């Protein structure tokens, strides 16, 4: 019990405020310095009560100086709005407290105009995953997220879904041959493909992007790690869709999920650090540092973000084109949507910047794809344009447990039985992506009936994911 970690709540109970002094204390505690939990708490209390006595202490001097200088620091911080407007939560009973707390902080930003929380929401960094935030002429790098422009793409082929049973090995070989997975992974020089996105002038105008061009070319058409996937499955239309001009029936489909790879991750890290240096917010909101779009830095990020989004789209295009060619198939339709992005949109007759961190655009008539898990269906949907949701919907089922928790507690035997029962072939993936680690997709969809209409159902049958334990990059 004595070795149990000290957390923020323990320090707040001693009288610490949720500011930079709390962060300094937690950083010291991470090393424990040979003291028990009780001894550390006694020290933290003593430093708080008399910081001047510890300004020369080898362990606690940083904390003492932080406490003594906090009033000065606070004077230079951008004040939060202590009377923020409310926001709509969809599927509230299924959303963890941490995600709601993060959204509550986001609503206090002085640039915030509106917010909403989707039913797949869970805690992230800065804005929660599943959080939608509209701001006034400001963009939040961590409100966009690390994997900029991460997206879904669905190709519906003019081929019968029965091929999943009759040509399983051929389809499996096709996925293995034409996809590449794993953080940092990519293609050798003789394997690379050309694409117009690499000719974007920003690769020569922005020094950061110039340094990333070769990596972008190497990773073009690859899928990274974590929950990214390439899947063959059945696309089922219960009735004819007039807009897509697809008859009622079951078709072979290819569904992909991945983002902007190392390019997007590096852009996100660089501009988040820059935003934090320029936009000094209170401790609890520091990951929500924003860039004014009227500044050079804001415009730089905006352009880089859009390039990363275009690059993510190009990666999907390469994968889908390779596989379509290998199959010798004709397309009935291809649908694509992205999240982890910021858009300029109209909301209640004013222009706002809408951040969708793990949320699907769902303006009226707009098509999107909401996946479940490797063993549960996903859905092709059409947005209803619900303004209370800032014209958004969930981007998936949402995690029920953390990756670490899933790896420690879930049974590989149970996963194998589920896949066998569902007739699913799994290529790669770890226990952190097991379907049991995710919320029930049907509950999530029921919570957003006012946000989207279901057009078709996608049932995965051959699933490829990273098998190196890497997370999304």
């Amino acid at each position: 019990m004595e070795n149990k970690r000290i957390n923020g709540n323990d320090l707040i109970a001693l009288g610490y405020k949720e500011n930079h002094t709390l962060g300094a204390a937690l950083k010291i505690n991470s090393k424990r310095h040979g003291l028990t939990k009780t001894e550390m708490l006694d020290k933290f209390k003593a430093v708080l009560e008399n910081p001047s006595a510890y300004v020369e202490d080898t362990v606690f001097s940083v904390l003492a100086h932080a406490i003594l200088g906090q009033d000065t620091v606070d004077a230079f911080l951008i004040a939060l709005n202590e009377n923020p407007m409310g926001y709509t939560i969809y599927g509230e009973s299924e959303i963890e407290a941490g995600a709601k707390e993060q959204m509550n902080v986001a609503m206090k930003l002085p640039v915030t105009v509106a917010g909403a929380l989707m039913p797949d929401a869970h805690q992230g960094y800065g804005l929660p995953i599943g959080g939608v935030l509209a701001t006034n002429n400001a963009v939040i790098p961590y409100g966009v997220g690390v994997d900029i422009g991460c997206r879904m793409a669905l190709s519906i082929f003019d081929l019968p879904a029965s091929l999943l049973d009759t040509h399983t090995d051929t389809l499996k070989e096709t996925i293995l041959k034409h996809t590449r997975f794993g953080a940092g992974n990519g293609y050798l020089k003789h394997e690379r493909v050309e694409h117009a996105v690499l000719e974007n002038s920003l690769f020569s105008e922005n020094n950061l992007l110039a340094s990333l061009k070769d990596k972008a070319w190497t990773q073009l058409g690859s899928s990274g790690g974590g929950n990214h996937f390439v899947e063959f499955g059945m696309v089922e239309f219960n009735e004819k869709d007039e807009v897509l001009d697809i008859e009622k029936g079951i078709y072979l489909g290819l569904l992909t999920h991945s983002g902007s790879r190392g390019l997007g991750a590096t852009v996100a890290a660089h501009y988040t650090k820059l935003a934090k240096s320029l936009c000094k917010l209170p401790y609890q909101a520091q990951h929500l540092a924003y860039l004014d779009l009227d500044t050079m830095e804001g415009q730089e990020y905006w352009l880089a973000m859009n390039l990363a989004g275009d690059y993510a789209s190009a990666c999907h295009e390469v994968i889908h084109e390779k596989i379509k060619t290998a199959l010798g198939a004709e397309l009935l339709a291809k649908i694509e949507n992205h999240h982890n992005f910021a858009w300029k949109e109209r909301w209640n007759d004013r222009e706002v910047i809408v951040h969708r961190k793990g949320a699907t655009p769902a303006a009226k008539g707009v098509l999107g794809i909401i996946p479940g898990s490797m063993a549960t269906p996903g859905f092709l949907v059409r947005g209803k344009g619900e303004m209370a949701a800032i014209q958004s919907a969930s981007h998936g089922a949402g995690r029920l447990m953390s990756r670490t928790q899933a790896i420690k507690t879930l049974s590989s035997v149970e996963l194998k039985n589920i896949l066998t029962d569902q007739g699913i072939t799994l290529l790669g993936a770890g226990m952190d992506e097991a379907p049991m680690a995710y919320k029930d997709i049907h509950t999530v969809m029921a919570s957003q009936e006012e946000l989207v209409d279901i057009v078709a159902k996608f049932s995965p049958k051959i699933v490829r994911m990273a098998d190196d334990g890497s997370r999304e990059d």
Side-chain angles (χ1 to χ4, degrees):
M1 192 72 175
E2 277 294 291
N3 291 320
K4 189 176 179 183
R5 288 179 66 94
I6 292 171
N7 59 37
N9 290 331
D10 295 323
L11 295 171
I12 290 169
L14 292 178
Y16 280 82
K17 295 179 180 178
E18 288 190 66
N19 54 32
H20 291 78
T21 61
L22 186 67
L26 289 171
K27 191 170 184 179
I28 291 171
N29 179 66
S30 67
K31 297 181 180 178
R32 189 56 71 86
H33 300 284
L35 301 176
T36 66
K37 179 177 180 179
T38 300
E39 290 169 340
M40 284 296 285
L41 287 172
D42 287 343
K43 281 286 190 182
F44 282 134
K45 185 177 181 184
V47 177
L48 183 63
E49 291 175 348
N50 187 14
S52 298
Y54 289 86
V55 292
E56 301 295 334
D57 190 277
T58 55
V59 175
F60 294 94
S61 61
V62 172
L63 176 59
H65 283 289
I67 294 170
L68 290 169
Q70 190 59 49
D71 288 343
T72 302
V73 171
D74 286 345
F76 287 98
L77 295 179
I78 296 170
L80 298 180
N81 178 7
E82 292 306 320
N83 296 297
M85 66 194 78
Y87 61 95
T88 308
I89 304 176
Y90 296 88
E92 183 170 6
S93 63
E94 303 295 320
I95 298 175
E96 63 188 4
K100 296 174 189 174
E101 289 167 6
Q102 285 186 316
M103 198 69 201
N104 291 341
V105 173
M107 295 303 295
K108 294 181 178 181
L109 293 177
V111 293
T112 292
V113 175
L117 206 53
M118 299 300 104
D120 61 336
H122 54 98
Q123 193 167 341
Y125 284 98
L127 197 64
I129 296 159
V132 184
L133 193 72
T135 59
N136 178 31
N137 201 47
V139 62
I140 307 165
Y142 252 173
V144 168
V146 174
D147 192 9
I148 299 172
C150 186
R151 65 194 56 220
M152 307 296 306
L154 173 66
S155 284
I156 304 171
F157 299 116
D158 188 13
L159 292 171
S162 58
L163 289 175
L164 290 160
D165 296 319
T166 61
H167 290 69
T168 306
D169 289 343
T170 300
L171 294 175
K172 187 168 76 171
E173 289 168 10
T174 301
I175 277 188
L176 288 170
K177 182 178 180 180
H178 296 294
T179 61
R180 193 68 56 90
F181 280 81
N185 208 345
Y187 290 95
L188 299 175
K189 280 194 173 181
H190 71 278
E191 299 174 311
R192 298 180 189 180
V193 297
E194 302 287 344
H195 194 282
V197 73
L198 296 171
E199 304 308 313
N200 191 301
S201 61
L202 285 172
F203 279 118
S204 59
E205 296 168 0
N206 179 308
N207 289 336
L208 174 67
L209 295 174
S211 71
L212 296 171
K213 185 174 181 179
D214 193 65
K215 174 182 276 191
W217 190 17
T218 298
Q219 296 185 335
L220 182 64
S222 61
S223 301
N227 62 357
H228 295 159
F229 59 75
V230 177
E231 300 175 343
F232 276 123
M234 302 185 300
V235 185
E236 183 176 0
F237 288 80
N238 287 328
E239 59 185 36
K240 179 178 180 179
D241 188 86
E242 298 292 344
V243 177
L244 292 174
D245 193 26
I246 295 179
E247 298 288 342
K248 175 182 177 180
I250 304 177
Y251 303 88
L252 178 68
L254 176 73
L255 183 62
T256 55
H257 173 219
S258 60
S260 50
R261 303 299 323 276
L263 171 70
T266 307
V267 166
H270 174 83
Y271 286 100
T272 294
K273 184 177 180 181
L274 181 61
K276 285 183 176 181
S277 72
L278 296 173
C279 177
K280 300 292 188 181
L281 290 167
Y283 177 76
Q284 66 270 37
Q286 61 182 341
H287 293 312
L288 292 166
Y290 51 85
L291 295 168
D292 189 317
L293 286 176
D294 287 336
T295 65
M296 179 185 73
E297 295 84 0
Q299 280 301 305
E300 261 189 26
Y301 173 75
W302 187 262
L303 293 172
M305 177 196 73
N306 275 279
L307 174 58
D310 291 343
Y311 174 78
S313 181
C315 284
H316 285 268
E317 184 184 331
V318 169
I319 295 168
H320 282 248
E321 191 59 35
K322 281 182 178 179
I323 291 177
K324 181 174 81 73
T325 301
L327 293 176
E330 293 296 324
L331 271 182
L332 290 178
K334 186 181 177 196
I335 300 96
E336 183 177 333
N337 69 267
H338 55 304
H339 46 267
N340 288 9
F341 210 69
W343 292 258
K344 287 184 179 178
E345 294 183 3
R346 301 293 299 180
W347 186 83
N348 285 357
D349 294 326
R350 65 180 293 186
E351 183 179 86
V352 293
I353 306 301
V354 178
H355 303 74
R356 294 186 177 94
K357 188 178 184 184
T360 300
K364 188 169 181 61
V366 170
L367 289 169
I369 304 138
I370 301 176
S373 70
M374 65 171 70
T376 56
F379 298 91
L380 174 60
V381 299
R382 186 170 278 120
K384 292 185 175 181
E386 176 56 52
M387 296 308 288
I390 317 179
Q391 302 187 101
S392 307
S394 83
H395 82 313
R399 295 199 72 90
L400 188 60
M401 57 180 71
S402 71
R403 295 183 180 280
T404 302
Q405 184 184 1
I407 291 168
K408 285 182 177 179
T409 62
L410 296 180
S411 162
S412 58
V413 174
E414 183 183 357
L415 172 60
K416 185 177 179 181
N417 290 338
I418 289 172
L419 296 174
T420 300
D421 289 344
Q422 298 290 332
I424 295 168
T425 300
L426 179 61
L427 310 169
M431 287 306 300
D432 55 331
E433 283 302 319
M436 306 88 81
Y438 283 86
K439 297 178 184 180
D440 176 36
I441 186 62
H442 300 289
T443 302
V444 169
M445 296 305 294
S447 298
Q448 54 186 348
E449 289 179 346
E450 60 193 287
L451 309 184
V452 293
D453 286 318
I454 293 174
V455 177
K457 181 173 77 171
F458 176 89
S459 301
K461 291 298 176 184
I462 302 174
V463 178
R464 185 176 189 196
M465 305 182 80
D467 56 7
D468 62 352
S470 58
R471 299 191 177 191
E472 303 98 318
D473 63 355

